[in-house]
Structure formats: C-alpha cells, structure tokens
C-alpha cells in the first residue's frame, strides 16, 4: 500500500480514538516544526534522498515524513510523486521560499510562518507583504448591489429596471 494512503488512513481515521488522534497531530506538528526549522537554516540547499533516508536524516518515522512530504508538496519547485510513494522513492525538498511562506499562512500554521529562521530569509516588511498578499488572495469582494432605479451599468442611460434588469 502506498505510504500516503497509509498516512491518511492513520491521521484522518474516522474510527480512531479522538484522544489518540489529537496526540498524533500534536506530535506531528512538533516534528514538522523541527523539520522546517532545519530546512530554513539553509533554504537554498535542496534536501533529497529516498523517503526512508529523509526520515532518518530528520529523526522521524516513515509516516511522519510521509505527512510532511504531503504538506510541503505544493510549495516545491518540482512536486514529488506522493500518491504512489514508497519508502525507497527518491524525493526532494527544494521549495520556493515565498510560496512556502504563503502556504503556511494559508494553512493557518502560525507556528510555522512565525519560525525564527524566516528572519534570516525575509525581513519583517517582506514577511508582512507576503502575509497580506496571501490573505487578500482568498478574500471575496462583492460588487455593489444594483437597485431597480439605479442607472444601468451597461451605460445605456436607462434605469436598470428598464434595461438589463428587465425580466426576460
């Protein structure tokens, strides 16, 4: 069975004890934070190897590394084959710095986008700009409501109700 499928069955189990799942995620988030802190110390160095080699390098089990690879995949310069990944599959962690930061913001992972290691990569102004950029990108802006007696937005000079707002 592919590692990702095993990870999802374990981490998103409908039948597991809620306390066990909570502990699993707390431990995962702590290990994830440690891996990101390590990666961000040398952001231009691409960590690569098999899934098993990377798990050993970062001192985590195979399932934690699988979850990590699933999480970082959208921020990589070159996506890994996570769907069919096995422990001997070659993967890399070459991430795009700005994209990774924005994805951490989008995930609401303040424990990750507030890591000290970001200070050496982006100054505070740049981090704030990336944060704002990400938040604005997901904001839905509704146009002004057009009322029947308003001028028609098509520019005809007629009232909306007598032009484009007419029932067809």
């Amino acid at each position: 069975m592919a590692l990702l499928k095993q990870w999802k069955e374990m981490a998103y189990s409908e039948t597991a004890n809620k306390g066990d799942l909570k502990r699993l995620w707390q431990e995962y988030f702590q290990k994830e934070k440690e891996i990101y802190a390590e990666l961000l110390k040398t952001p231009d160095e691409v960590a690569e190897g098999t899934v098993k080699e990377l798990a050993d390098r970062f001192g985590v089990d195979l399932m934690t590394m699988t979850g990590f690879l699933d999480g970082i995949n959208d921020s990589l310069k070159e996506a890994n084959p996570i769907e069919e990944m096995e422990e001997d599959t070659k993967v890399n962690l070459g991430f795009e710095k700005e994209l990774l930061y924005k994805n951490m913001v989008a995930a609401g992972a303040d424990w990750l986008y507030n890591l000290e290691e970001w200070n050496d990569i982006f100054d505070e102004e740049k981090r704030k700009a990336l944060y704002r950029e990400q938040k604005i990108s997901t904001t839905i802006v509704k146009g002004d409501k057009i009322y029947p007696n308003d001028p028609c937005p098509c520019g005809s000079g007629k009232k909306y109700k007598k032009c484009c707002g007419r029932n067809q």
Side-chain angles (χ1 to χ4, degrees):
M1 181 188 312
L3 290 175
L4 186 63
K5 187 174 182 192
Q6 289 176 38
W7 163 252
K8 287 182 176 181
E9 284 178 5
M10 182 177 77
Y12 302 102
S13 173
E14 298 280 327
T15 57
N17 175 305
K18 289 195 187 311
D20 291 343
L21 274 179
K22 185 177 180 182
R23 276 188 294 284
L24 177 137
W25 281 105
Q26 284 174 334
E27 289 173 20
Y28 171 78
F29 289 141
Q30 183 56 44
K31 290 174 184 174
E32 176 188 47
K33 183 178 176 180
E34 292 166 8
I35 294 171
Y36 275 120
E38 192 64 34
L39 287 174
L40 292 172
K41 286 177 185 171
T42 55
D44 297 320
E45 184 182 304
V46 178
E48 54 189 342
T50 66
V51 178
K52 176 81 172 108
E53 289 168 350
L54 288 177
D56 292 344
R57 174 179 167 182
F58 291 105
V60 297
D61 61 86
L62 212 51
M63 286 295 103
T64 300
M65 182 50 64
T66 301
F68 182 83
L69 288 166
D70 183 29
I72 197 173
N73 210 42
D74 290 339
S75 304
L76 298 177
K77 293 175 183 173
E78 187 181 318
N80 289 313
I82 59 169
E83 294 295 331
E84 59 269 355
M85 194 168 58
E86 297 295 341
E87 68 179 72
D88 59 348
T89 303
K90 283 265 189 201
V91 293
N92 82 79
L93 301 176
F95 58 90
E96 293 184 34
K97 293 177 269 221
E98 288 187 9
L99 183 57
L100 179 62
Y101 190 85
K102 287 182 185 180
N103 286 342
M104 288 174 171
V105 170
D110 58 335
W111 65 93
L112 296 178
Y113 66 78
N114 285 328
L115 282 168
E116 279 183 31
E117 286 76 8
W118 282 113
N119 298 340
D120 295 333
I121 299 170
F122 299 128
D123 61 25
E124 186 177 352
E125 191 176 311
K126 178 68 172 176
R127 290 192 312 274
K128 284 182 178 178
L130 290 171
Y131 183 91
R132 267 193 310 279
E133 201 175 304
Q134 174 56 40
K135 290 298 187 180
I136 288 170
S137 74
T138 58
T139 303
I140 298 170
V141 180
K142 288 185 174 182
D144 294 334
K145 179 158 174 49
I146 303 168
Y147 294 94
N149 287 325
D150 288 345
C152 191
C154 77
S156 67
K158 297 179 182 179
K159 289 185 178 183
Y160 179 67
K161 69 181 179 186
K162 297 279 186 184
C163 190
C164 295
R166 183 179 289 159
N167 293 336
Q168 278 121 7

